[in-house]
Structures are given as C-alpha cells and as structure tokens.
Amino acid sequence: MRTRDRVVSLLLELGPSTAVTLGERAGLTVAGVRRHLDALVAEGTVSTHAARLRKAARGRPARLYALT
C-alpha cells in the first residue's frame, strides 16, 4: 500500500486527526506525514482546520485533518 493511501486509510479509521497522531500510527515522521497531507489538501481529498487543545503548546499550531 502506498504511503498516501495509508494516510487516507488512517483518516477513515480514526476520523479527524493531527499529523502527530497519524505519524505515530503510520510509523512515519511528522514531517513525512505533513508532506502527504499537504498534497491531499491540494487535491481536495482532505480538509484542515485548527485543533482546540487543552493547553497551549510550543511550536507549530495543531491542525486537524479530515477526509472531505
């Protein structure tokens, strides 16, 4: 199975998820997952919106990715 297809399958299984969660489940780096998610967003397969987290975290703001 192609990596991009695996990311889509995980979104179907888990529902809206962060890149961190998808990376952990797929055994990929977060940067690798984001690269695939960016391509899926560009083709319209996946949508993204800001995640509401319980506590403020450092670094990149969390985004939830979901199938369209």
Side-chain angles (χ1 to χ4, degrees), residues 1-11 18-37 40:
M1 178 183 285
R2 291 179 7 179
T3 303
R4 196 159 297 164
D5 294 335
R6 205 164 62 187
V7 171
V8 170
S9 293
L10 282 170
L11 283 171
T18 64
V20 173
T21 300
L22 293 169
E24 289 170 352
R25 294 291 297 265
L28 299 168
T29 64
V30 175
V33 169
R34 280 197 185 106
R35 189 170 39 246
H36 290 289
L37 289 168
L40 290 165

Side-chain angles (χ1 to χ4, degrees), residues 23-67:
E24 289 170 352
R25 294 291 297 265
L28 299 168
T29 64
V30 175
V33 169
R34 280 197 185 106
R35 189 170 39 246
H36 290 289
L37 289 168
D38 288 343
L40 290 165
V41 167
E43 70 183 32
T45 304
V46 171
S47 64
T48 181
H49 61 277
R52 295 179 187 243
L53 299 176
R54 293 180 196 160
K55 63 177 185 166
R58 293 183 184 195
R60 192 182 287 226
R63 305 216 36 95
L64 283 178
Y65 295 88
L67 293 175

